[in-house]
Amino acid sequence: MRRPRLVTPPPFRETGYDPAAQVYDLEYPECDGAELDFWITEGRRFGPRLLEFAVGTGRMAVPLARQGFQITGVDTSAAMLKRAAARRAASGRSTSARLGLQRGDMRTCRLTDVYDLALVGFNSYLLLPDQSARQLTLENAAAHVRPGGAVAVDVFSATPLDATPDHEEVEFLERDPSTGRRITRERFYTYDEATHRGCSTLIYRYYDGPLLVDERRLGYSLALVTRDDVVAEFVAAGLQIDAVYGDYTRRPWRDDSPNLIVIGRTATR
């Protein structure tokens, strides 16, 4: 019997998201379907002024602006914001006018506007380095929201499987739209017990025909948190829990839910 080939993962190194900007939209297309419907409903429930931390390439912000929301997106990555600006420009004048982009850290940025809903979607909350950083982010989000407004986070909750190393074989993605080159992706996943984080190394390879012409690496880690962790962080930030959902259809959260969506309200004065 042939044994599976053991693959040694490369040393893990956080790279930030500038190296991923060119391929991010191939991995994660624009927000639509149930995910978009969820945020549209929340926006209509709390009000039209939205603040998105970790806006990335605008996969959520642009379709929300297209739906008529006035939204500000904040991100630390200049390359991601450049992609978001290009997506905004391609979306038409009225949508562009409703979306502002700003470079900044979601823990410390200071904006002059007041918002109805601040959101951190698509696991971005887990990219923060530790519990203290998450706490600062929630407090900063709440400080930008009107009394009685809301802060929302969408993540996954950790299970024992998340401590299991994994290796995905090369996956063929769409061609790079700017060059037409074929791109492949290889992913190595490890677990750091000391920090309780899942660490992913993604290797993107660019081919001109059969010839390998470029290779880029992205390294990022996600905090492995539970429902109780996130709820406790909301409460510590002075937010009153409004809802905890297990998916975008608003089913109650369970241990096997695909999402952990926590919404907290700011205090009324």
Side-chain angles (χ1 to χ4, degrees):
M1 180 177 178
R2 185 176 180 182
R3 295 185 178 182
R5 181 172 61 96
L6 297 178
V7 179
T8 302
F12 175 73
R13 182 175 68 86
E14 295 269 7
T15 63
Y17 266 84
D18 279 356
Q22 186 173 356
V23 294
Y24 187 85
D25 293 332
L26 298 178
E27 292 269 23
Y28 308 111
E30 188 170 282
C31 175
D32 62 4
E35 183 187 10
L36 179 58
D37 290 344
F38 178 88
W39 293 116
I40 290 172
T41 299
E42 293 306 304
R44 290 173 178 168
R45 185 159 75 100
F46 291 107
R49 300 167 300 174
L50 308 182
L51 170 62
E52 184 187 356
F53 285 159
V55 68
T57 65
R59 67 169 295 275
M60 292 173 56
V62 168
L64 285 169
R66 196 180 295 133
Q67 291 293 323
F69 294 99
Q70 190 71 38
I71 183 166
T72 299
V74 176
D75 205 285
T76 59
S77 169
M80 286 288 202
L81 288 171
K82 184 177 180 180
R83 302 283 291 194
R87 177 179 276 176
R88 177 181 61 182
S91 66
R93 183 176 298 176
S94 60
T95 297
S96 295
R98 289 191 289 269
L99 173 57
L101 298 170
Q102 181 166 321
R103 191 174 185 187
D105 189 315
M106 55 183 159
R107 295 169 288 187
T108 58
C109 64
R110 295 292 182 266
L111 308 174
T112 57
D113 291 337
V114 176
Y115 301 91
D116 301 301
L117 171 65
L119 59 101
V120 191
F122 209 52
N123 291 323
S124 298
Y125 186 67
L126 304 181
L127 291 167
L128 290 160
D130 51 33
Q131 190 275 336
S132 176
R134 296 195 299 272
Q135 196 76 56
L136 287 172
T137 295
L138 292 178
E139 292 170 357
N140 194 32
H144 284 88
V145 170
R146 64 168 174 82
V151 175
V153 164
D154 172 21
V155 297
F156 71 90
S157 54
T159 71
L161 284 176
D162 293 311
T164 304
D166 187 33
H167 170 244
E168 289 181 346
E169 295 293 334
V170 172
E171 177 183 339
F172 291 85
L173 304 174
E174 300 174 33
R175 291 182 180 272
D176 179 358
S178 62
T179 65
R181 290 172 176 165
R182 182 168 57 88
I183 309 174
T184 68
R185 190 258 287 156
E186 189 172 14
R187 175 177 179 267
F188 297 88
Y189 177 83
T190 57
Y191 169 64
D192 186 333
E193 186 175 3
T195 60
H196 195 46
R197 297 178 73 87
C199 305
S200 293
T201 298
L202 304 178
I203 304 175
Y204 295 94
R205 299 181 176 96
Y206 294 71
Y207 292 88
D208 187 356
L211 183 65
L212 175 65
V213 294
D214 194 11
E215 180 176 294
R216 303 181 185 184
R217 293 197 179 195
L218 168 65
Y220 69 91
S221 66
L222 297 176
L224 302 183
V225 299
T226 67
R227 173 195 179 277
D228 290 346
D229 291 334
V230 179
V231 167
E233 289 163 6
F234 267 66
V235 172
L239 294 160
Q240 180 180 355
I241 300 300
D242 179 78
V244 180
Y245 299 119
D247 62 23
Y248 298 124
T249 66
R250 291 177 171 73
R251 282 183 286 196
W253 183 87
R254 306 188 323 175
D255 287 342
D256 61 349
S257 293
N259 297 82
L260 169 61
I261 305 169
V262 180
I263 300 172
R265 284 185 177 268
T266 56
T268 55
R269 299 193 185 102

